[in-house]
Amino acid sequence: MGEVELSCRAYVKMFLHASLFPRCSINGLLLSSSSAGGAVCVTDCVPLLHSHLPLAPITQLALTQVDVWCSQTQQKIVGYYQANACVSDSSPTPCAMKIADKISEQFDNAVLLMLDGSKMSSDYRVPPIVIYERKDSRWLLKDKHTIMLRQWDEIRSIATQMLESGDQSLLVDFDSHLDDITKDWTNQKLNTKIAELASPANGNI
């Protein structure tokens, strides 16, 4: 597998998802609308759950719905993200690996991204993420030099600004959507706000 590139939109939404439920494990799907060579360009994400992560029926329902939506919007599921409830633990759980395995059946270069809760402060100098790739039926740590987050300082600034403004309350994960189906799990309102903040910074949403 080649490089993995994360967009501003994808990172900020993962960050806000973890910030909205700081005492919970959270997870979601990584999406791509790009087919650039051997690189995996993560252009968006869909926040899934903040409770009962190993609950298979809900996960399967979410995967199916997101897959249908992706086919309608020229996107594909290229990976999985998770943050553990224990901030000092950024190791993939059996649940994380099981869902990532399922995604890798459909997309060979699937990635498993873990958010490192212990490094998610606004002044941390590098992205608080750990990425795994699948090799020989195992998930192995990916070389950090092949992970790109262009203009990290600007992206970190946008994430911090949105957190300080309370914008994490705009985020809807699939869990919240199941509680109230009028809530939009595709997060179009949040996407627009991130795009507005990102455009003067780097235009990379």
Side-chain angles (χ1 to χ4, degrees):
M1 187 202 292
E3 294 175 332
V4 175
E5 182 171 352
L6 280 177
S7 71
C8 177
R9 176 193 287 181
Y11 175 76
V12 170
K13 285 166 74 175
M14 286 188 286
F15 174 83
L16 293 177
H17 193 200
S19 301
L20 183 59
F21 303 104
R23 286 177 290 280
C24 301
S25 294
I26 56 100
N27 68 359
L29 301 173
L30 304 175
L31 310 182
S32 178
S33 56
S34 167
S35 54
V40 177
C41 300
V42 179
T43 49
D44 200 356
C45 72
V46 174
L48 290 186
L49 308 175
H50 59 267
S51 60
H52 312 301
L53 263 53
L55 208 58
I58 292 178
T59 303
Q60 188 56 56
L61 173 66
L63 277 167
T64 303
Q65 286 209 22
V66 175
D67 205 36
V68 169
W69 178 66
C70 281
S71 66
Q72 294 167 346
T73 54
Q74 288 73 56
Q75 299 183 94
K76 59 186 171 188
I77 300 169
V78 297
Y80 171 84
Y81 76 85
Q82 183 170 305
N84 293 329
C86 176
V87 295
S88 61
D89 177 16
S90 58
S91 302
T93 59
C95 167
M97 289 185 279
K98 189 173 182 181
I99 298 172
D101 280 344
K102 198 166 183 62
I103 294 166
S104 72
E105 290 172 10
Q106 306 298 322
F107 181 70
D108 287 343
N109 290 334
V111 295
L112 167 53
L113 184 153
M114 297 297 298
L115 288 165
D116 187 343
S118 65
K119 298 175 181 172
M120 282 182 65
S121 64
S122 59
D123 57 352
Y124 204 73
R125 308 307 294 174
V126 295
I129 57 176
V130 183
I131 291 185
Y132 294 80
E133 60 185 336
R134 190 171 166 82
K135 283 184 177 176
D136 302 322
S137 303
R138 293 167 61 210
W139 289 97
L140 303 173
L141 205 55
K142 189 166 175 55
D143 179 357
K144 63 184 177 185
H145 296 106
T146 62
I147 301 163
M148 292 191 298
L149 213 68
R150 295 184 192 277
Q151 296 177 296
W152 164 242
D153 287 342
E154 287 90 342
I155 292 173
R156 183 182 59 187
S157 173
I158 290 166
T160 303
Q161 184 181 337
M162 294 188 78
L163 185 64
E164 289 172 350
S165 301
D167 289 330
Q168 66 272 27
S169 63
L170 296 174
L171 184 133
V172 177
D173 64 9
F174 205 79
D175 245 349
S176 302
H177 168 75
L178 290 176
D179 288 339
D180 178 357
I181 58 168
T182 64
K183 291 184 175 180
D184 174 25
W185 57 263
T186 70
N187 285 288
Q188 296 306 309
K189 194 179 291 186
L190 191 62
N191 289 350
T192 300
K193 184 142 193 178
I194 295 169
E196 287 168 357
L197 291 170
S199 52
N202 57 9
N204 177 28
I205 60 168

